[in-house]
Amino acid sequence: LGRMGLPMARHIVDVGFQVTGFDVDPGRRAALVQAGGREMSSPQALAEASDAILVMVVDDAQVKDVIHGVSGVLHGVRSGAAIIISSTVKPATCVEVAEAARVRGVGVLDAPVTKGQRAAEAGTLTVLAGGERALFERCRPVLEAFSDHVFHVGEQVGAGQVAKMVNNLLLWTGVAGVHAYFTLAGRLGVNAARLREALQASSADSYVLRELDLINLTWPDKDLAEAMEAAEEAGVSLPLIGYVRDLIKGLTREDLRRLCRDD
């Protein structure tokens, strides 16, 4: 029930589902109760009360702890239920969860989301889901509660995470490129803010250009490091990932905002 999970849960409440929630922070659990949900004392207790369990935590270690740990989801989940992993993690982590859940008669979708906290609060996230199509269709009403676009990108668990990885690679490549080339333009005497406006009406238009002053730089190094690892494991040479990782290190949100100011 963090910055992403709490607003997502609120939207699920708003469309009429009975929603239970757990977070290590009791204040976040109280916020869900205020929104019309119920708090639970552990992931296990939440799973015992749920037909679908949506996991939205920070990383692979937290996903594994929530699922497999003491008082974790697998200790309480019922046969026929669904686990939806919306955290951005490695495909292999989702496969590991799916294999453990299958023994208990439980289906797993990996369904990471894009567009960040503002979209979570507005209910306009994009969902990139992987897993059995029938399970995806069963869970679609939950996913649509907090999204304006829901895509099934593959039958295999982990496909959603691959799609999210590609999304993040394109995003951070765009951010690094815009900052580098706008810096060049400024050195050559062209105002970056005016250039940005012109390019949004040109063939270079992109999400990065339109959202430049609003993009958070919370996870680029994590995302790029994991993409480098995935490329190495797949035997694919992608030196661009390393270049982007070097370019984006030390870049701040203020650096991006500065490019948007007409001064």
Side-chain angles (χ1 to χ4, degrees), residues 8-27:
M8 291 164 69
R10 285 172 173 154
H11 288 299
I12 301 171
V13 170
D14 288 344
V15 299
F17 285 100
Q18 293 181 347
V19 178
T20 63
F22 172 76
D23 193 285
V24 293
D25 180 353

Side-chain angles (χ1 to χ4, degrees), residues 9-10 25 57 118 141 201 208 222 255 261:
R10 285 172 173 154
D25 180 353
V57 291
R118 287 179 296 111
V208 171
K222 167 184 175 285
D255 293 328
R261 291 199 289 264

Side-chain angles (χ1 to χ4, degrees), residues 173-184:
T173 299
V175 168
V178 165
H179 183 263
Y181 300 137
F182 276 39
T183 299
L184 171 63

Side-chain angles (χ1 to χ4, degrees), residues 3-4 115-118 171-172 175 207 211-220 223 248 251-254 256-257:
R3 291 184 301 171
M4 298 290 292
K115 298 191 292 188
Q117 184 180 352
R118 287 179 296 111
L171 171 65
W172 300 130
V175 168
Y207 174 87
E211 301 286 320
L212 189 61
D213 54 325
L214 301 173
I215 292 173
N216 285 317
L217 294 168
T218 309
W219 303 113
D223 293 339
I248 213 165
L251 203 61
T252 67
R253 189 171 180 183
E254 179 56 30
L256 302 184
R257 287 177 169 177

Side-chain angles (χ1 to χ4, degrees), residues 9-92:
R10 285 172 173 154
H11 288 299
I12 301 171
V13 170
D14 288 344
V15 299
F17 285 100
Q18 293 181 347
V19 178
T20 63
F22 172 76
D23 193 285
V24 293
D25 180 353
R28 307 300 285 181
R29 301 198 300 269
L32 176 63
V33 172
Q34 189 174 14
R38 292 187 299 150
E39 65 173 310
M40 289 293 175
S41 59
S42 68
Q44 177 179 344
L46 184 151
E48 290 170 350
S50 302
D51 298 311
I53 301 99
L54 194 149
V55 180
M56 176 54 87
V57 291
V58 170
D59 55 22
D60 295 76
Q62 289 190 6
V63 167
K64 291 177 182 180
D65 186 46
V66 164
I67 299 294
H68 301 289
V70 176
S71 298
V73 166
L74 289 184
H75 295 292
V77 68
R78 303 191 302 255
S79 178
I83 297 173
I84 306 168
I85 302 174
S86 285
S87 304
T88 299
V89 294
K90 297 176 182 178

Side-chain angles (χ1 to χ4, degrees), residues 118-149:
R118 287 179 296 111
E121 292 169 350
T124 57
L125 291 165
T126 293
V127 177
L128 306 170
E132 293 181 2
R133 183 80 196 206
L135 181 62
F136 167 76
E137 294 298 342
R138 274 181 52 206
C139 295
R140 182 193 284 273
V142 175
L143 302 175
E144 288 181 339
F146 49 78
S147 309
D148 57 6
H149 294 96

Side-chain angles (χ1 to χ4, degrees), residues 231-249:
E232 289 172 5
E233 290 175 354
V236 177
S237 177
L238 289 176
L240 179 61
I241 301 175
Y243 301 152
V244 171
R245 193 179 179 192
D246 288 339
L247 285 171
I248 213 165
K249 279 180 179 174

